[in-house]
């Protein structure tokens, strides 16, 4: 996840990216820009129980967050709802080795692990 965000940041000279984790609620919101992008290596992943996609839209609305594009890294297996289709442009980056679920709105793209890539132990 963080490697993919780092890759997005490396493509641009100027950017503002807001990152957070979620399960049934949102955790650890952090902002990164060209000035502090290297701080991403210290970002702490949090959460770990349940998958309530709608908590992201609730959080954005409650905190006045209106992204140009909301990118969700997910296994594509939400509890109940995929979210609010009318709030913002949404891209679901789905990593799911057993299926390729498609979101009912926005754009679904799939992350497939390179079988030749070695994972750290």
């Amino acid at each position: 996840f963080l490697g993919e965000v780092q890759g997005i940041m490396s493509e641009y000279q100027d950017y503002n990216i807001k990152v957070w984790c979620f399960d049934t609620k949102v955790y650890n919101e952090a902002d990164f820009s060209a000035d502090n992008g290297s701080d991403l290596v210290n970002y702490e992943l949090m959460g770990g129980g349940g998958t309530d996609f709608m908590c992201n839209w609730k959080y954005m609305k409650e905190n006045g967050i209106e992204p140009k594009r909301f990118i969700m890294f997910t296994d594509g297996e939400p509890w109940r709802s995929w979210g609010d289709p009318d709030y913002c442009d949404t891209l679901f980056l789905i990593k799911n080795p057993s299926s390729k679920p498609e979101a009912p709105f926005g754009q679904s793209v799939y992350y497939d692990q390179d079988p030749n890539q070695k994972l750290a132990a």
Side-chain angles (χ1 to χ4, degrees):
F1 159 74
L2 294 177
E4 295 301 320
V5 173
Q6 191 85 47
I8 292 168
M9 293 185 330
S10 70
E11 294 292 317
Y12 299 93
Q13 294 292 318
D14 189 30
Y15 57 85
N16 290 301
I17 295 178
K18 186 176 293 292
V19 174
W20 63 71
C21 302
F22 79 97
D23 49 28
T24 59
K25 65 181 185 177
V26 170
Y27 303 91
N28 201 17
E29 177 188 331
D31 293 305
F32 298 96
S33 68
D35 295 330
N36 72 344
S38 61
D39 292 347
L40 183 66
V41 298
N42 298 318
Y43 181 78
E44 183 180 351
L45 297 174
M46 301 176 87
T51 309
D52 182 5
F53 287 10
M54 197 62 190
C55 74
N56 293 289
W57 279 266
K58 181 179 177 189
Y59 184 81
M60 287 188 283
K61 291 174 185 179
E62 288 174 350
N63 292 281
I65 300 168
E66 297 181 25
K68 290 181 182 176
R69 174 167 280 194
F70 177 56
I71 302 172
M72 180 188 295
F73 292 78
T74 177
D75 64 2
E77 296 185 12
W79 178 68
R80 292 190 188 171
S81 171
W82 281 80
D84 184 342
D86 300 317
Y87 190 71
C88 60
D89 185 18
T90 304
L91 177 107
F92 296 92
L93 179 59
I94 301 170
K95 181 176 182 183
N96 189 324
S98 60
S99 69
K100 296 214 183 293
E102 186 157 338
F105 66 91
Q107 184 179 7
S108 298
V109 295
Y110 303 94
Y111 177 86
D112 293 313
Q113 179 79 33
D114 178 347
N116 297 318
Q117 181 179 1
K118 293 187 179 192
L119 302 175

